[in-house]
Amino acid sequence: MSIAEGVRTLRYVEALREGLRQCLEEDDNVFVLGEDVGDYGGVFRATKGLIGEFGERRIIDTPLSEASVVGLATGAAAVGLRPVVDLMFMDFIGICMDQLANQMAKMRYMFGGKVTLPVTVLAFAGAGGGMGAQHSQSLEAWLCHVPGLKVVMPSGPAEAKGLLVASIRDDNPVIYIAHKRLLGRTAEVAEEAFALELGRACVKRVGKDLTIVAMGRMVEEALKAADTLEQAHGIGVEVIDPRTLQPLDTTTIVESVAKTHRCLVAHEAVRFGGIGAEIAAQIQEVAFDELDAPIHRVGAPFTPIPFNSGLERLHVPNKGDIVAEAERLLGLSPLQPDGSTSAGGLNGR
């Protein structure tokens, strides 16, 4: 059911697919290519049914060669088309990194702006499905380091649609990172085609004591952690969803930190060398005097992602990890198994 005209409840993957369909309808230069995107509808069902609506000339099944697919998309974009590549698993980025980093990302600069490269690459990331070390990674930090690429990471259904529409309309290469465990999440999404501005963060929850900057699926874990911290400790947590990691909306993040004076950054990717380190560096460069404590980070341990479900759960950060790290940052007594806590830290000063 909806709360307003033109707003429905959609699953994340349905919102993504609707945004893709609307872009195909509004611009004949938009086309989709990738392995199994046609009759099968994509490994993650992102293109389900589209070949029946738009035909084989615009929904193109390709051979099993990610480098060739991304190379084809790069050339097509340079001559005026707007390709959308379904790369399936984000882990396959490594197979086509030369095309992404040395060709697609560089061509507009190297040609003096005489060509545009409006390519959108869909990459499905994240652990939690028992898919093992080669099909579960979050590699956004690799891509954010490449000048010429934009990187987005939608955290919910509305973001899935709005960021995809913005990505396809953009004249630069955009890597669109969807999280596999979010595909079934539901939320209200506007029916019309709408674009969320790339490079603009969203304040998901307002608070006064601590800023949590969270990416992708970690946004929902951060929101759960914020509820726990408020109920257990009376802490007001502000949750920031950057939405776009490159370019990064440092202004919104710094404005929040200037209010709360404490910050924690949470992402699913390996903690060492993750995007959280860059965010922490930018905050301290711009707003060091606003900080009352060091910036803390939550991320995965420096190991491959286990296939075993129990070990995988231990590897992937969650609400409990965020709560525990926030308690350390704020000097709060940890929650006990019964949910009780003792006074101290921020509220016990």
Side-chain angles (χ1 to χ4, degrees):
M1 60 183 297
S2 64
I3 60 172
E5 185 178 356
V7 177
R8 303 85 12 92
T9 296
L10 294 180
R11 293 187 298 137
Y12 184 107
V13 70
E14 292 171 335
L16 188 163
R17 190 188 308 129
E18 181 172 86
L20 181 54
R21 177 185 292 110
Q22 290 173 339
C23 288
L24 286 159
E25 290 172 341
E26 74 180 17
D27 188 345
D28 290 341
N29 288 320
V30 176
F31 72 101
V32 180
L33 68 161
E35 299 156 20
D36 293 321
V37 298
D39 291 333
Y40 189 69
V43 170
F44 297 105
R45 321 311 284 166
T47 59
K48 181 181 177 182
L50 295 183
I51 194 168
E53 296 180 55
F54 299 99
E56 294 181 356
R57 289 181 61 84
R58 298 187 67 197
I59 311 295
I60 303 172
D61 268 325
T62 66
L64 186 66
S65 176
E66 286 79 9
S68 299
V69 172
V70 176
L72 189 159
T74 301
V79 296
L81 299 179
R82 308 188 82 86
V84 179
V85 177
D86 185 343
L87 199 62
M88 303 187 294
F89 294 90
M90 187 179 199
D91 314 70
F92 300 165
I93 286 283
I95 302 172
C96 55
M97 186 59 93
D98 178 66
Q99 296 291 347
L100 287 171
N102 286 329
Q103 308 304 327
M104 185 190 300
K106 307 288 192 296
M107 283 177 65
R108 190 171 189 181
Y109 170 78
M110 293 178 71
F111 291 3
K114 293 181 180 179
V115 299
T116 58
L117 274 295
V119 185
T120 301
V121 178
L122 305 183
F124 293 84
M131 296 182 183
Q134 295 173 320
H135 294 80
S136 305
Q137 298 172 90
S138 297
L139 302 173
E140 60 273 6
W142 285 14
L143 300 159
C144 289
H145 193 67
V146 179
L149 297 180
K150 295 186 177 183
V151 181
V152 305
M153 187 176 282
S155 62
E159 289 82 4
K161 180 176 178 178
L163 289 174
L164 182 60
V165 172
S167 299
I168 294 172
R169 291 176 179 174
D170 198 283
D171 283 337
N172 299 283
V174 181
I175 313 300
Y176 176 103
I177 304 171
H179 197 292
K180 297 189 289 287
R181 286 183 63 187
L182 290 177
L183 295 177
R185 296 290 192 273
T186 59
E188 292 181 334
V189 181
E191 185 172 1
E192 74 277 2
F194 66 93
L196 294 173
E197 181 182 352
L198 301 185
R200 178 65 63 87
C202 175
V203 180
K204 289 287 188 178
R205 190 182 198 274
V206 176
K208 60 181 178 59
D209 299 315
L210 170 67
T211 297
I212 298 180
V213 183
M215 276 65 72
R217 196 184 70 80
M218 284 300 106
V219 172
E220 70 174 29
E221 296 298 315
L223 290 169
K224 294 174 187 175
D227 288 340
T228 298
L229 289 164
E230 181 176 39
Q231 293 164 11
H233 299 292
I235 298 300
V237 178
E238 186 148 296
V239 177
I240 306 293
D241 175 7
R243 291 181 171 171
T244 306
L245 303 184
Q246 181 63 265
L248 180 69
D249 183 3
T250 307
T251 299
T252 296
I253 295 170
V254 167
E255 286 175 351
S256 177
V257 172
K259 177 173 64 173
T260 66
H261 306 294
R262 299 167 182 84
C263 184
L264 184 154
V265 187
H267 54 66
E268 183 175 318
V270 170
R271 183 177 182 272
F272 185 91
I275 192 66
E278 175 63 27
I279 292 172
Q282 291 202 25
I283 292 169
Q284 69 87 20
E285 286 173 351
V286 176
F288 179 80
D289 290 340
E290 297 289 354
L291 292 168
D292 287 347
I295 299 167
H296 285 221
R297 292 179 289 151
V298 171
F302 197 70
T303 67
I305 299 166
F307 170 76
N308 176 275
S309 59
L311 293 176
E312 185 183 44
R313 282 194 297 273
L314 291 174
H315 179 93
V316 179
N318 59 25
K319 178 194 82 170
D321 297 314
I322 297 173
V323 168
E325 195 63 36
E327 289 171 336
R328 284 190 284 272
L329 190 162
L330 296 165
L332 298 167
S333 299
L335 286 176
Q336 303 303 311
D338 62 1
S340 64
T341 185
S342 59
L346 189 67
N347 283 354
R349 289 188 301 194

